[in-house]
Amino acid sequence: VETAREMLDACLRALPVDVAVCVAAVCDWRPAQRAPVKLKKREGEAPPVLALAENPDILHTLATLPQQRPRLVIGFAAETEAVLEAARAKLARKGCDWILANDVSPPSGVFGGSHNRIILVRRDGAIEAWPQLDKLEVGRRLAKLIAEQIGSAPP
């Protein structure tokens, strides 16, 4: 896929599924109209004004489906400040079951780095602060928790 709308369509076509893990957010905004040609810089002209349109919210859409909602919907919250508070707010706003929050501020070294520190926030209010882990280990830990959750959940 190349656009957020195509990504949402692909997710909806994949249903039903037991688990949806939305690990990366697409852009919140897109150009409202695509230009049929390159927008060239012209001497003496002001830059073009770009109108924006909101992209679909894939995590929220999957979490609030009236039918075919995955049994477990998980999102991530890349934050630069007030990480736990932002994660709680996102969990409520999106309607998902879990949010994995992480500090992506420049001092954290997350972008371009190999490690991450996760705070798992669950809809039932439970919070787990994970130690700094290699990103592969974050994935392993998440996969184990998903398996435990799905294995214990009623069909």
Side-chain angles (χ1 to χ4, degrees):
V1 301
E2 294 183 9
T3 70
R5 291 178 288 186
E6 291 172 352
M7 176 65 77
L8 175 59
D9 290 344
C11 289
L12 294 173
R13 281 193 311 272
L15 296 174
V17 297
D18 290 325
V19 181
V21 182
C22 298
V23 297
V26 297
C27 292
D28 291 332
W29 303 98
R30 68 179 184 278
Q33 294 187 350
R34 294 179 72 130
V37 297
K38 176 182 175 185
L39 301 178
K40 294 182 179 185
K41 179 172 43 172
R42 300 190 195 283
E43 188 73 30
E45 287 186 17
V49 175
L50 298 177
L52 299 177
E54 191 172 357
N55 266 327
D57 187 326
I58 298 168
L59 176 60
H60 177 73
T61 300
L62 295 174
T64 58
L65 286 171
Q67 297 178 359
Q68 291 195 320
R69 183 196 192 273
R71 288 172 40 197
L72 183 61
V73 180
I74 302 167
F76 279 69
E79 303 295 341
T80 57
E81 57 188 358
V83 174
L84 179 58
E85 294 80 6
R88 284 180 170 148
K90 185 172 186 176
L91 182 82
R93 189 173 66 252
K94 302 291 184 173
C96 57
D97 303 300
W98 299 353
I99 287 284
L100 280 78
N102 58 339
D103 181 352
V104 297
S105 62
S108 74
V110 169
F111 285 130
S114 62
H115 288 78
N116 211 335
R117 180 168 285 125
I118 295 292
I119 301 173
L120 171 61
V121 182
R122 299 177 192 236
R123 186 174 17 172
D124 66 5
I127 298 169
E128 276 181 44
W130 297 358
Q132 181 171 326
L133 298 168
D134 176 271
K135 290 179 181 181
L136 185 57
E137 186 56 34
V138 169
R140 285 186 183 115
R141 187 177 279 210
L142 177 58
K144 183 177 185 242
L145 289 173
I146 290 169
E148 290 169 0
Q149 178 71 28
I150 293 302
S152 65

Coordinates of all heavy atoms in Angstrom, one line a residue, residues 39-126:
L39 N 5.0 20.5 -8.8 CA 4.8 21.9 -8.4 C 6.2 22.6 -8.4 O 7.0 22.4 -7.5 CB 4.2 22.0 -7.0 CG 2.8 21.3 -6.9 CD1 2.3 21.4 -5.4 CD2 1.8 21.9 -7.8
K40 N 6.4 23.4 -9.5 CA 7.7 23.9 -9.7 C 7.9 25.3 -9.0 O 6.9 26.0 -8.8 CB 8.0 24.1 -11.2 CG 8.1 22.8 -11.9 CD 8.5 23.1 -13.4 CE 8.6 21.7 -14.1 NZ 9.0 21.9 -15.5
K41 N 9.1 25.5 -8.5 CA 9.4 26.8 -7.9 C 9.6 27.8 -9.1 O 10.2 27.5 -10.1 CB 10.7 26.7 -7.1 CG 11.1 28.0 -6.5 CD 12.3 27.8 -5.5 CE 13.4 26.9 -6.0 NZ 14.5 26.9 -5.2
R42 N 8.9 29.0 -9.0 CA 9.0 30.0 -10.0 C 9.5 31.3 -9.4 O 9.0 31.7 -8.4 CB 7.6 30.2 -10.7 CG 7.1 28.9 -11.4 CD 5.9 29.2 -12.2 NE 5.2 28.0 -12.6 CZ 5.5 27.1 -13.5 NH1 6.6 27.2 -14.2 NH2 4.8 26.0 -13.7
E43 N 10.4 31.9 -10.1 CA 11.0 33.1 -9.7 C 9.9 34.2 -9.4 O 9.1 34.4 -10.2 CB 12.0 33.6 -10.7 CG 12.8 34.8 -10.3 CD 13.9 34.5 -9.4 OE1 14.4 33.3 -9.4 OE2 14.3 35.4 -8.6
G44 N 10.0 34.7 -8.2 CA 9.0 35.8 -7.8 C 7.7 35.4 -7.4 O 6.9 36.2 -7.0
E45 N 7.4 34.1 -7.4 CA 6.1 33.6 -7.0 C 6.2 33.0 -5.6 O 7.2 32.4 -5.2 CB 5.6 32.5 -7.9 CG 5.1 33.0 -9.2 CD 4.5 31.8 -10.1 OE1 4.1 30.8 -9.5 OE2 4.4 32.0 -11.3
A46 N 5.1 33.2 -4.8 CA 5.0 32.6 -3.5 C 4.8 31.1 -3.6 O 4.3 30.6 -4.6 CB 3.8 33.2 -2.7
P47 N 5.3 30.4 -2.6 CA 5.0 29.0 -2.6 C 3.6 28.6 -2.7 O 2.7 29.4 -2.2 CB 5.7 28.4 -1.4 CG 5.9 29.6 -0.5 CD 5.9 30.8 -1.4
P48 N 3.2 27.5 -3.2 CA 1.8 27.1 -3.3 C 1.2 26.9 -1.9 O 1.9 26.5 -1.0 CB 1.7 25.9 -4.1 CG 3.1 25.3 -4.0 CD 4.0 26.5 -3.8
V49 N -0.1 27.2 -1.7 CA -0.7 26.9 -0.5 C -1.3 25.4 -0.6 O -1.9 25.1 -1.5 CB -1.9 27.9 -0.2 CG1 -2.7 27.5 1.0 CG2 -1.4 29.3 -0.1
L50 N -0.9 24.6 0.4 CA -1.3 23.2 0.4 C -2.4 23.0 1.4 O -2.2 23.2 2.6 CB -0.2 22.3 0.7 CG 1.0 22.3 -0.3 CD1 2.1 21.4 0.2 CD2 0.6 21.9 -1.7
A51 N -3.6 22.7 0.9 CA -4.7 22.3 1.8 C -4.5 20.9 2.2 O -4.1 20.0 1.4 CB -6.0 22.5 1.1
L52 N -4.8 20.6 3.5 CA -4.7 19.3 4.0 C -6.0 18.7 4.4 O -7.0 19.3 4.7 CB -3.8 19.3 5.3 CG -2.4 19.9 5.1 CD1 -1.7 19.9 6.5 CD2 -1.6 19.0 4.2
A53 N -6.1 17.3 4.3 CA -7.2 16.6 4.6 C -6.8 15.5 5.6 O -5.6 15.0 5.6 CB -7.8 15.9 3.4
E54 N -7.7 15.2 6.5 CA -7.3 14.2 7.6 C -7.3 12.8 7.0 O -8.2 12.4 6.3 CB -8.4 14.3 8.7 CG -8.0 13.5 9.9 CD -8.9 13.8 11.1 OE1 -9.9 14.6 11.0 OE2 -8.7 13.2 12.2
N55 N -6.3 12.1 7.4 CA -6.2 10.6 7.0 C -7.1 9.8 7.9 O -7.3 10.3 9.1 CB -4.7 10.1 7.1 CG -4.0 10.2 5.8 OD1 -4.6 10.1 4.7 ND2 -2.7 10.5 5.9
P56 N -7.5 8.6 7.5 CA -8.3 7.8 8.4 C -7.4 7.3 9.6 O -6.2 7.2 9.5 CB -8.6 6.6 7.6 CG -7.6 6.6 6.5 CD -7.2 8.0 6.2
D57 N -8.1 7.1 10.7 CA -7.4 6.7 12.0 C -7.6 5.2 12.0 O -8.7 4.7 12.4 CB -8.1 7.3 13.2 CG -7.3 7.0 14.5 OD1 -6.8 5.9 14.6 OD2 -7.3 7.9 15.3
I58 N -6.6 4.4 11.6 CA -6.7 3.0 11.4 C -6.9 2.3 12.8 O -7.8 1.4 12.9 CB -5.5 2.4 10.7 CG1 -5.5 3.0 9.2 CG2 -5.6 0.9 10.6 CD1 -4.2 2.8 8.5
L59 N -6.1 2.7 13.8 CA -6.3 2.1 15.1 C -7.7 2.3 15.7 O -8.3 1.3 16.1 CB -5.2 2.7 16.0 CG -5.3 2.2 17.5 CD1 -5.1 0.7 17.6 CD2 -4.2 2.9 18.3
H60 N -8.1 3.5 15.6 CA -9.5 3.8 16.1 C -10.6 3.0 15.4 O -11.5 2.5 15.9 CB -9.7 5.3 16.1 CG -11.1 5.7 16.5 ND1 -11.5 5.6 17.8 CD2 -12.2 6.1 15.8 CE1 -12.8 6.0 17.9 NE2 -13.2 6.3 16.7
T61 N -10.4 3.0 14.1 CA -11.4 2.3 13.2 C -11.5 0.8 13.6 O -12.6 0.3 13.8 CB -11.1 2.5 11.7 OG1 -11.1 3.9 11.4 CG2 -12.1 1.7 10.8
L62 N -10.3 0.2 13.7 CA -10.3 -1.3 14.0 C -10.8 -1.5 15.4 O -11.6 -2.5 15.7 CB -8.9 -1.8 13.9 CG -8.3 -1.9 12.5 CD1 -6.9 -2.3 12.5 CD2 -9.2 -2.7 11.6
A63 N -10.5 -0.6 16.4 CA -10.9 -0.8 17.8 C -12.4 -0.6 18.0 O -12.9 -1.0 19.0 CB -10.1 0.1 18.7
T64 N -13.0 0.2 17.1 CA -14.4 0.5 17.3 C -15.4 -0.1 16.3 O -16.5 0.3 16.2 CB -14.6 2.0 17.4 OG1 -14.2 2.6 16.1 CG2 -13.8 2.7 18.5
L65 N -14.9 -1.1 15.6 CA -15.8 -1.8 14.6 C -17.0 -2.4 15.3 O -16.8 -3.1 16.3 CB -15.0 -2.9 13.9 CG -14.0 -2.4 12.8 CD1 -13.2 -3.6 12.4 CD2 -14.7 -1.7 11.7
P66 N -18.2 -2.2 14.8 CA -19.4 -2.8 15.5 C -19.4 -4.3 15.2 O -20.0 -5.1 16.0 CB -20.5 -2.1 14.8 CG -20.0 -1.5 13.5 CD -18.5 -1.3 13.7
Q67 N -18.8 -4.8 14.1 CA -18.7 -6.2 13.8 C -17.3 -6.5 13.4 O -16.7 -5.6 12.8 CB -19.7 -6.6 12.7 CG -21.2 -6.4 13.2 CD -22.1 -6.7 12.0 OE1 -21.7 -7.1 10.9 NE2 -23.4 -6.6 12.3
Q68 N -16.9 -7.7 13.6 CA -15.6 -8.2 13.2 C -14.4 -7.4 13.9 O -13.3 -7.4 13.4 CB -15.4 -8.1 11.7 CG -16.2 -9.1 10.9 CD -15.7 -9.3 9.5 OE1 -15.4 -8.3 8.8 NE2 -15.7 -10.5 9.0
R69 N -14.7 -6.8 15.1 CA -13.6 -6.2 15.8 C -12.7 -7.3 16.3 O -13.1 -8.3 16.8 CB -14.1 -5.5 17.0 CG -13.0 -4.8 17.8 CD -13.5 -4.4 19.2 NE -12.6 -3.5 19.9 CZ -11.6 -3.9 20.7 NH1 -11.3 -5.1 20.8 NH2 -10.8 -3.0 21.3
P70 N -11.4 -7.1 16.1 CA -10.4 -8.1 16.6 C -10.6 -8.3 18.1 O -10.9 -7.3 18.8 CB -9.0 -7.5 16.2 CG -9.3 -6.7 15.1 CD -10.7 -6.1 15.3
R71 N -10.3 -9.5 18.6 CA -10.5 -9.7 20.1 C -9.5 -8.8 20.9 O -9.8 -8.5 22.0 CB -10.2 -11.2 20.4 CG -11.3 -12.1 19.9 CD -11.1 -13.5 20.0 NE -10.4 -14.0 21.2 CZ -9.8 -15.2 21.2 NH1 -9.8 -16.0 20.2 NH2 -9.2 -15.6 22.3
L72 N -8.4 -8.5 20.3 CA -7.3 -7.7 21.0 C -6.8 -6.7 20.0 O -6.3 -7.1 18.9 CB -6.2 -8.6 21.5 CG -5.1 -8.0 22.3 CD1 -5.6 -7.3 23.6 CD2 -4.0 -9.0 22.6
V73 N -6.9 -5.4 20.3 CA -6.4 -4.3 19.5 C -5.4 -3.6 20.2 O -5.6 -3.1 21.3 CB -7.6 -3.4 19.0 CG1 -7.0 -2.3 18.1 CG2 -8.7 -4.2 18.3
I74 N -4.2 -3.5 19.6 CA -3.0 -2.9 20.3 C -2.5 -1.8 19.5 O -2.3 -1.9 18.3 CB -1.9 -4.0 20.5 CG1 -2.5 -5.2 21.3 CG2 -0.7 -3.4 21.2 CD1 -1.6 -6.4 21.3
G75 N -2.2 -0.7 20.1 CA -1.5 0.4 19.5 C -0.2 0.8 20.2 O 0.1 0.4 21.3
F76 N 0.5 1.7 19.5 CA 1.7 2.3 20.1 C 1.5 3.8 20.2 O 0.8 4.4 19.5 CB 2.9 2.0 19.2 CG 3.5 0.6 19.4 CD1 2.7 -0.5 19.0 CD2 4.7 0.4 20.0 CE1 3.2 -1.8 19.1 CE2 5.2 -0.9 20.1 CZ 4.5 -2.0 19.7
A77 N 2.2 4.3 21.2 CA 2.2 5.8 21.4 C 3.7 6.2 21.5 O 4.3 6.0 22.5 CB 1.4 6.1 22.7
A78 N 4.1 6.8 20.5 CA 5.5 7.4 20.5 C 5.3 8.9 21.0 O 4.7 9.7 20.4 CB 6.0 7.5 19.1
E79 N 5.9 9.1 22.2 CA 5.7 10.4 22.9 C 7.0 11.0 23.2 O 8.0 10.3 23.3 CB 4.9 10.1 24.2 CG 3.6 9.5 24.0 CD 2.5 10.3 23.2 OE1 2.7 11.5 23.1 OE2 1.6 9.7 22.7
T80 N 7.0 12.3 23.4 CA 8.2 13.1 23.7 C 8.1 13.7 25.1 O 9.1 14.2 25.6 CB 8.5 14.2 22.7 OG1 7.4 15.0 22.6 CG2 8.8 13.6 21.3
E81 N 7.0 13.6 25.7 CA 6.8 14.2 27.1 C 5.5 13.6 27.7 O 4.6 13.1 27.0 CB 6.7 15.7 27.1 CG 5.6 16.3 26.3 CD 5.7 17.8 26.1 OE1 6.6 18.4 26.7 OE2 4.8 18.3 25.4
A82 N 5.5 13.5 29.0 CA 4.3 13.0 29.8 C 3.9 11.7 29.1 O 2.7 11.5 28.8 CB 3.2 14.0 29.8
V83 N 4.8 10.7 29.0 CA 4.5 9.5 28.3 C 3.3 8.7 28.8 O 2.5 8.3 28.0 CB 5.8 8.6 28.2 CG1 5.5 7.3 27.6 CG2 6.9 9.4 27.5
L84 N 3.3 8.5 30.1 CA 2.2 7.7 30.7 C 0.9 8.4 30.5 O -0.1 7.8 30.1 CB 2.5 7.4 32.1 CG 1.4 6.6 32.9 CD1 1.2 5.2 32.2 CD2 1.8 6.4 34.3
E85 N 0.8 9.7 30.8 CA -0.4 10.4 30.7 C -0.9 10.4 29.2 O -2.1 10.2 28.9 CB -0.3 11.9 31.2 CG 0.0 12.0 32.7 CD 1.5 11.7 33.1 OE1 2.3 11.5 32.1 OE2 1.7 11.6 34.3
A86 N 0.0 10.6 28.3 CA -0.4 10.6 26.9 C -0.9 9.2 26.5 O -1.8 9.1 25.7 CB 0.8 11.1 26.0
A87 N -0.3 8.2 27.0 CA -0.7 6.8 26.6 C -2.1 6.5 27.2 O -2.9 5.9 26.4 CB 0.3 5.8 27.2
R88 N -2.4 6.9 28.4 CA -3.7 6.7 28.9 C -4.7 7.5 28.1 O -5.8 6.9 27.8 CB -3.7 7.2 30.4 CG -3.1 6.3 31.4 CD -3.2 6.9 32.7 NE -2.8 5.9 33.7 CZ -2.2 6.3 34.9 NH1 -1.9 7.5 35.2 NH2 -1.8 5.3 35.7
A89 N -4.4 8.7 27.7 CA -5.4 9.5 26.9 C -5.6 8.8 25.6 O -6.7 8.7 25.1 CB -4.9 10.9 26.8
K90 N -4.5 8.3 25.0 CA -4.7 7.7 23.6 C -5.5 6.4 23.7 O -6.3 6.2 22.9 CB -3.3 7.4 23.0 CG -3.3 6.9 21.6 CD -1.9 6.8 21.0 CE -2.0 6.4 19.6 NZ -0.7 6.4 18.9
L91 N -5.2 5.6 24.8 CA -6.0 4.4 25.0 C -7.5 4.7 25.0 O -8.3 4.0 24.3 CB -5.5 3.7 26.2 CG -6.2 2.4 26.6 CD1 -5.5 1.3 25.8 CD2 -6.1 2.1 28.1
A92 N -7.9 5.7 25.8 CA -9.3 6.1 25.9 C -9.8 6.6 24.6 O -10.9 6.2 24.1 CB -9.5 7.1 27.0
R93 N -9.1 7.5 23.9 CA -9.5 8.1 22.7 C -9.7 7.1 21.5 O -10.6 7.2 20.7 CB -8.5 9.2 22.3 CG -8.9 10.1 21.2 CD -7.9 11.3 21.1 NE -6.5 10.8 20.7 CZ -5.5 10.8 21.4 NH1 -5.5 11.2 22.7 NH2 -4.3 10.4 21.0
K94 N -8.8 6.2 21.5 CA -8.7 5.2 20.3 C -9.7 4.0 20.6 O -10.1 3.4 19.6 CB -7.3 4.7 20.1 CG -6.3 5.8 19.8 CD -6.5 6.4 18.5 CE -5.4 7.4 18.1 NZ -5.5 7.9 16.8
G95 N -10.0 3.7 21.8 CA -10.9 2.6 22.1 C -10.2 1.2 22.0 O -10.8 0.2 21.9
C96 N -8.9 1.2 22.0 CA -8.1 -0.1 21.9 C -8.0 -0.7 23.3 O -8.4 -0.2 24.3 CB -6.8 0.1 21.2 SG -5.7 1.3 21.9
D97 N -7.4 -1.9 23.3 CA -7.2 -2.7 24.5 C -5.9 -2.4 25.2 O -5.8 -2.3 26.4 CB -7.3 -4.2 24.2 CG -8.6 -4.5 23.5 OD1 -9.7 -4.2 24.1 OD2 -8.6 -5.0 22.4
W98 N -4.8 -2.3 24.5 CA -3.5 -2.0 25.0 C -2.8 -0.9 24.2 O -3.0 -0.8 23.0 CB -2.6 -3.2 24.9 CG -3.0 -4.4 25.6 CD1 -4.0 -4.6 26.5 CD2 -2.3 -5.7 25.5 NE1 -4.1 -5.9 26.9 CE2 -3.0 -6.6 26.3 CE3 -1.2 -6.2 24.8 CZ2 -2.7 -7.9 26.4 CZ3 -0.9 -7.5 24.9 CH2 -1.6 -8.4 25.7
I99 N -2.0 -0.1 24.9 CA -1.1 0.9 24.3 C 0.3 0.6 24.8 O 0.5 0.5 26.0 CB -1.5 2.3 24.6 CG1 -2.8 2.7 23.9 CG2 -0.4 3.3 24.3 CD1 -2.7 3.1 22.4
L100 N 1.2 0.5 23.9 CA 2.6 0.4 24.3 C 3.2 1.8 24.0 O 3.4 2.2 22.9 CB 3.4 -0.6 23.4 CG 3.2 -2.1 23.9 CD1 1.8 -2.6 23.5 CD2 4.3 -3.0 23.4
A101 N 3.5 2.5 25.1 CA 4.0 3.8 25.0 C 5.6 3.8 25.1 O 6.1 3.0 25.9 CB 3.4 4.7 26.1
N102 N 6.2 4.7 24.4 CA 7.6 4.9 24.5 C 8.0 6.3 24.3 O 7.4 7.1 23.6 CB 8.4 3.9 23.5 CG 8.0 4.2 22.1 OD1 7.0 4.7 21.8 ND2 8.9 3.7 21.2
D103 N 9.1 6.7 25.0 CA 9.7 8.0 24.9 C 10.6 8.1 23.7 O 11.5 7.3 23.6 CB 10.5 8.3 26.2 CG 11.1 9.7 26.2 OD1 11.0 10.4 25.2 OD2 11.6 10.0 27.2
V104 N 10.2 8.9 22.7 CA 11.0 9.0 21.5 C 11.7 10.4 21.4 O 12.1 10.8 20.3 CB 10.1 8.8 20.2 CG1 9.6 7.4 20.2 CG2 9.0 9.8 20.1
S105 N 11.8 11.1 22.5 CA 12.5 12.4 22.5 C 13.9 12.1 22.2 O 14.5 11.0 22.3 CB 12.4 13.0 23.9 OG 13.0 12.2 24.9
P106 N 14.6 13.2 21.6 CA 16.0 13.0 21.2 C 16.9 12.3 22.2 O 17.7 11.4 21.8 CB 16.4 14.4 20.8 CG 15.1 15.0 20.3 CD 14.1 14.5 21.3
P107 N 16.8 12.7 23.5 CA 17.7 12.1 24.4 C 17.5 10.6 24.6 O 18.4 9.9 25.1 CB 17.5 12.8 25.8 CG 16.8 14.1 25.4 CD 16.1 13.8 24.1
S108 N 16.3 10.1 24.3 CA 16.0 8.6 24.5 C 16.8 7.7 23.5 O 17.1 6.6 23.8 CB 14.5 8.4 24.3 OG 14.2 8.4 22.9
G109 N 17.2 8.2 22.4 CA 18.0 7.4 21.4 C 17.2 6.4 20.7 O 17.7 5.5 20.1
V110 N 15.8 6.4 20.8 CA 15.0 5.4 20.2 C 15.1 5.4 18.7 O 15.3 4.3 18.1 CB 13.5 5.5 20.7 CG1 12.6 4.6 19.9 CG2 13.4 5.2 22.2
F111 N 14.9 6.5 18.1 CA 15.0 6.6 16.6 C 16.4 6.4 16.2 O 17.3 7.1 16.6 CB 14.4 7.9 16.1 CG 12.9 8.0 16.2 CD1 12.3 9.1 16.7 CD2 12.1 7.0 15.7 CE1 10.9 9.2 16.8 CE2 10.7 7.1 15.7 CZ 10.1 8.2 16.3
G112 N 16.6 5.4 15.4 CA 18.0 5.1 14.9 C 18.7 4.2 15.9 O 19.8 3.8 15.6
G113 N 18.2 3.9 17.1 CA 18.8 3.1 18.1 C 18.3 1.7 18.1 O 17.3 1.4 17.4
S114 N 18.9 0.9 18.9 CA 18.5 -0.6 18.9 C 17.7 -0.9 20.2 O 17.3 -2.1 20.3 CB 19.7 -1.4 18.8 OG 20.5 -1.2 19.9
H115 N 17.5 0.0 21.1 CA 16.8 -0.3 22.3 C 15.5 0.6 22.5 O 15.4 1.7 21.9 CB 17.7 -0.1 23.5 CG 18.7 -1.2 23.6 ND1 19.8 -1.2 22.8 CD2 18.8 -2.3 24.3 CE1 20.5 -2.3 23.0 NE2 19.9 -3.0 24.0
N116 N 14.7 0.2 23.4 CA 13.5 0.9 23.7 C 13.1 0.6 25.1 O 13.4 -0.4 25.7 CB 12.4 0.4 22.7 CG 11.4 1.5 22.4 OD1 11.2 2.4 23.2 ND2 10.7 1.3 21.3
R117 N 12.3 1.6 25.7 CA 11.8 1.4 27.0 C 10.3 1.6 26.9 O 9.8 2.7 26.5 CB 12.4 2.4 28.0 CG 11.8 2.2 29.4 CD 12.6 3.0 30.5 NE 13.8 2.3 30.7 CZ 15.0 2.9 30.7 NH1 15.1 4.1 30.3 NH2 16.1 2.2 31.0
I118 N 9.5 0.5 27.2 CA 8.1 0.5 26.9 C 7.3 0.6 28.3 O 7.7 0.1 29.3 CB 7.7 -0.8 26.3 CG1 8.3 -0.9 24.9 CG2 6.2 -1.0 26.3 CD1 7.7 0.0 23.9
I119 N 6.2 1.3 28.2 CA 5.2 1.3 29.3 C 3.9 0.7 28.6 O 3.4 1.3 27.7 CB 4.9 2.7 29.8 CG1 6.2 3.3 30.4 CG2 3.8 2.6 30.9 CD1 6.0 4.8 30.8
L120 N 3.5 -0.4 29.1 CA 2.3 -1.1 28.6 C 1.1 -0.6 29.4 O 1.1 -0.8 30.6 CB 2.4 -2.6 28.6 CG 1.2 -3.4 28.3 CD1 0.6 -3.1 26.9 CD2 1.4 -4.9 28.5
V121 N 0.1 0.0 28.8 CA -1.1 0.5 29.5 C -2.2 -0.3 28.9 O -2.5 -0.4 27.7 CB -1.3 2.0 29.2 CG1 -2.5 2.5 30.0 CG2 -0.1 2.8 29.6
R122 N -3.0 -1.0 29.8 CA -4.1 -1.8 29.4 C -5.4 -1.1 29.8 O -5.5 -0.3 30.7 CB -4.1 -3.2 30.2 CG -2.8 -4.0 29.8 CD -2.8 -5.2 30.6 NE -1.6 -5.9 30.6 CZ -1.4 -7.2 30.2 NH1 -2.4 -7.9 29.8 NH2 -0.2 -7.7 30.2
R123 N -6.4 -1.5 29.0 CA -7.8 -0.9 29.2 C -8.3 -1.1 30.6 O -9.0 -0.2 31.2 CB -8.8 -1.4 28.2 CG -10.1 -0.7 28.3 CD -11.1 -1.1 27.3 NE -10.9 -2.3 26.6 CZ -11.7 -2.8 25.7 NH1 -12.9 -2.2 25.5 NH2 -11.5 -4.0 25.1
D124 N -7.9 -2.2 31.3 CA -8.4 -2.4 32.7 C -7.6 -1.6 33.7 O -7.9 -1.7 34.9 CB -8.3 -3.9 33.0 CG -6.9 -4.4 33.1 OD1 -5.9 -3.6 32.9 OD2 -6.7 -5.7 33.2
G125 N -6.7 -0.7 33.2 CA -6.0 0.2 34.1 C -4.6 -0.3 34.5 O -3.8 0.4 35.1
A126 N -4.3 -1.6 34.2 CA -3.0 -2.1 34.6 C -1.9 -1.5 33.8 O -2.1 -1.1 32.6 CB -3.0 -3.6 34.3

